[in-house]
Amino acid sequence: MLGKMTAAEVYESVTNGGASDLADLVAILKRNESWCLVGGFALNRYVEPLYTVEVDVVADARWIETSGLDVESFAPSAPLIWHRARRARSTTSMLQVNLVVDPRYQSFIPTAKWRNIFGEEVPVATLEDVLQGKVWAWQDSKRRLSKRKKDELDLLRIAEAYPQLRRLIPAEIVKQLE
């Protein structure tokens, strides 16, 4: 009989090492005082979690510019390969990291709250900020339709779990709950 697995162990198994790569990424990001998780990983701290391999990180823009983040930055730990300077993909796990450079997200950093994700204490954007980011993503007509539909689903999940926040969600989405 198998024993109970922790969420980190399940994620590690399903992603072929994603929790370990996340821990390595967090160690690097902790060198910077100004950063937080946004997007689906952050949302999973507030509503029933859905599986995701994408970790969206907003960091102080000045730090991103001077950090020199590249494959060498991760060589001693997580073997992440950076693409277009804003995305990284692990060479061993399924983990994908997106550095959010949209300046609107910078205001999320000071209000982020420290939360535990897979045994790592990380700053996570507030629910209201995660919601705002999802609205911006949903409204972005340049995003793939499948990504926008996922953002719509995330907004519906928030609306169901936190009815008091429906006023912050586009009426077109909230109407679907009637």
Side-chain angles (χ1 to χ4, degrees):
M1 183 165 108
L2 294 175
K4 275 190 157 182
M5 294 177 73
T6 66
E9 291 168 332
V10 170
Y11 194 76
E12 183 81 358
S13 173
V14 171
T15 61
N16 194 33
S20 295
D21 283 351
L22 178 65
D24 292 337
L25 174 68
V26 167
I28 291 167
L29 290 169
K30 282 187 176 178
R31 295 180 201 153
N32 172 31
E33 293 179 14
S34 299
W35 67 281
C36 69
L37 294 184
V38 296
F41 244 81
L43 180 59
N44 282 348
R45 295 303 300 145
Y46 299 105
V47 297
E48 187 173 332
L50 292 179
Y51 175 81
T52 183
V53 295
E54 288 188 24
V55 178
D56 300 306
V57 176
V58 59
D60 179 279
R62 293 164 297 174
W63 179 78
I64 292 173
E65 291 170 9
T66 61
S67 68
L69 284 177
D70 57 24
V71 71
E72 284 75 30
S73 299
F74 290 85
S77 54
L80 295 173
I81 296 177
W82 287 89
H83 300 281
R84 294 171 298 194
R86 294 182 183 139
R87 290 184 63 101
R89 178 179 218 108
S90 172
T91 58
T92 57
S93 78
M94 297 171 64
L95 191 71
Q96 299 173 38
V97 181
N98 301 315
L99 287 176
V100 178
V101 295
D102 184 330
R104 296 178 294 183
Y105 289 80
Q106 292 294 308
S107 66
F108 295 2
I109 296 170
T111 57
K113 306 294 183 211
W114 288 87
R115 303 281 188 247
N116 187 295
I117 296 181
F118 302 142
E120 297 291 328
E121 290 295 319
V122 299
V124 175
T126 65
L127 176 59
E128 290 80 0
D129 287 344
V130 171
L131 186 156
Q132 180 61 68
K134 288 293 179 181
V135 168
W136 289 333
W138 176 77
Q139 291 172 335
D140 183 354
S141 62
K142 294 177 185 170
R143 285 173 59 86
R144 287 191 336 246
L145 180 60
S146 59
K147 289 282 196 181
R148 291 181 67 218
K149 287 296 184 181
K150 183 184 173 303
D151 296 323
E152 183 177 321
L153 171 63
D154 288 342
L155 289 167
L156 286 166
R157 293 168 58 213
I158 294 169
E160 287 177 340
Y162 300 92
Q164 72 275 19
L165 296 179
R166 290 180 182 180
R167 62 186 167 67
L168 302 174
I169 299 171
E172 176 181 341
I173 294 175
V174 174
K175 186 192 279 189
Q176 295 177 53
L177 296 171
E178 295 171 359

